[in-house]
Amino acid sequence: QVQLVESGGGSVQAGGSLRLSCVVSGFIPSTYCMGWFRQAPGKEREGVATIRYGDTTTYTDSVKGRFTISRDNTKNTLYLQMNSLKPEDTAMYYCVAADFGPFASCRLTGLTYNYWGQGTQVTVSS
């Protein structure tokens, strides 16, 4: 059974940084898509970033240049480095994973990620 456990959320002022971590228990091959989604109160859930094979990444436009997704397969850990945070980044952030096959892209929309963590709250004040 795969479990994803996030940590690293918190409260910061605009312009600050946070690094989210997601520890994976159970076996997830490196071919899996892994990523981060977020949901703010009253808003729909949105994909933030995904990664595959350690270097194939995808970002939603609003975080490009500010957020960096990475994974350390030796530590079974996924990261999201968030810099230059803005109040609109405030949300619950979820770690996700799924197997879409060896040739599928890890899109942020239109796919169902079947493994989810419990979430970690990020709050950015102006």
Side-chain angles (χ1 to χ4, degrees), residues 65-117:
R66 300 188 299 122
F67 290 11
T68 302
I69 189 171
S70 62
R71 63 194 287 181
D72 186 337
N73 292 329
T74 65
K75 297 181 179 180
N76 288 342
T77 303
L78 179 73
Y79 302 100
L80 184 68
Q81 178 66 44
M82 305 185 295
N83 298 327
S84 301
L85 282 161
K86 304 176 181 179
E88 51 264 43
D89 295 317
T90 295
M92 185 71 79
Y93 283 71
Y94 298 92
C95 176
V96 301
D99 181 11
F100 300 122
F103 305 112
S105 61
C106 302
R107 300 197 309 271
L108 294 169
T109 59
L111 295 173
T112 300
Y113 286 78
N114 53 319
Y115 295 111
W116 289 74

Side-chain angles (χ1 to χ4, degrees), residues 4-96:
L4 309 176
V5 180
E6 305 97 331
S7 63
S11 297
V12 296
Q13 290 191 327
S17 298
L18 284 173
R19 188 175 81 156
L20 306 184
S21 298
C22 171
V23 177
V24 180
S25 61
F27 177 68
I28 288 188
S30 60
T31 54
Y32 267 44
C33 289
M34 295 196 69
W36 295 92
F37 277 61
R38 67 185 179 185
Q39 187 165 22
K43 295 187 177 180
E44 291 190 356
R45 189 169 57 199
E46 68 166 340
V48 176
T50 62
I51 188 169
R52 184 172 183 169
Y53 292 116
D55 58 3
T56 304
T57 58
T58 303
Y59 296 93
T60 192
D61 286 346
S62 64
V63 307
K64 287 180 180 177
R66 300 188 299 122
F67 290 11
T68 302
I69 189 171
S70 62
R71 63 194 287 181
D72 186 337
N73 292 329
T74 65
K75 297 181 179 180
N76 288 342
T77 303
L78 179 73
Y79 302 100
L80 184 68
Q81 178 66 44
M82 305 185 295
N83 298 327
S84 301
L85 282 161
K86 304 176 181 179
E88 51 264 43
D89 295 317
T90 295
M92 185 71 79
Y93 283 71
Y94 298 92
C95 176
V96 301

